[in-house]
Amino acid sequence: MMQKSQHILVIANDDTTRNLLEQFFIIRDIKVVAARTFQHAESIIESWGLAPFNLAVIDTAAFGVGELEQKSMVCHMLREWSMKYPMLPVFFLGTPCQKRAILKIRADIVQILVKPFDLDTLIDTINDLYPNLRPAGLSLPH
């Protein structure tokens, strides 16, 4: 039985975060589609459809400059996405204030890692939350 190839949608305006996430998933033989902005991500989804995606990883900083602006954009996006794409798991990287707002809306399919965090924490969290994204028998070089 052939396994369906996995795709991750990464939305992060920070090059370092985006590149790290891309590398993290590529090593696991998971295809990454990266967007710098939420608008860019929406256009990708419109052209691809959502079927190929197993997970969306979103850095809330991609939503704008101020924390309140980010929070309202995140809440808007979650309400909209939960209607359009009810089955897509979403993993946010955000602030404690955003965490409370996000979990109020979609605690069922949304996880959030609070900033600041180090790379090991990010990787461990993704591994713990989404173990099916880890190919069997893969050991990463340290």
Side-chain angles (χ1 to χ4, degrees):
M1 188 173 94
M2 227 180 92
Q3 206 182 358
K4 175 182 166 244
S5 72
Q6 300 188 80
H7 288 76
I8 304 288
L9 176 63
V10 172
I11 308 171
N13 61 349
D14 175 65
D15 293 338
T16 309
T17 305
R18 206 174 48 255
N19 294 339
L20 271 169
L21 287 165
E22 281 187 87
Q23 291 308 309
F24 172 77
F25 291 119
I26 289 166
I27 288 168
R28 286 157 173 72
D29 199 29
I30 295 169
K31 293 171 180 63
V32 176
V33 179
R36 192 178 288 269
T37 65
F38 183 62
Q39 291 73 16
H40 182 202
E42 290 260 80
S43 66
I44 290 170
I45 291 170
E46 279 167 28
S47 57
W48 280 52
L50 208 77
F53 294 106
N54 304 77
L55 175 67
V57 180
I58 304 170
D59 183 343
T60 58
F63 287 99
V65 279
E67 188 172 330
L68 281 172
E69 183 190 353
Q70 289 172 11
K71 185 175 145 186
S72 67
M73 286 280 296
V74 166
C75 293
H76 169 75
M77 176 236 135
L78 272 176
R79 287 195 185 97
E80 210 171 89
W81 277 34
S82 58
M83 287 184 289
K84 285 193 211 165
Y85 325 119
M87 301 314 290
L88 177 70
V90 178
F91 179 54
F92 278 106
L93 312 174
T95 66
C97 166
Q98 292 164 349
K99 179 174 184 170
R100 287 190 297 278
I102 287 167
L103 294 180
K104 265 188 208 148
I105 300 173
R106 286 308 308 259
D108 54 339
I109 59 160
V110 175
Q111 300 288 342
I112 181 162
L113 179 61
V114 172
K115 299 175 188 178
F117 49 80
D118 60 32
L119 181 59
D120 289 341
T121 305
L122 174 63
I123 289 172
D124 290 345
T125 304
I126 291 173
N127 282 335
D128 291 347
L129 292 173
Y130 311 105
N132 59 330
L133 295 176
R134 220 181 346 197
L138 178 74
S139 60
L140 292 176
H142 289 289

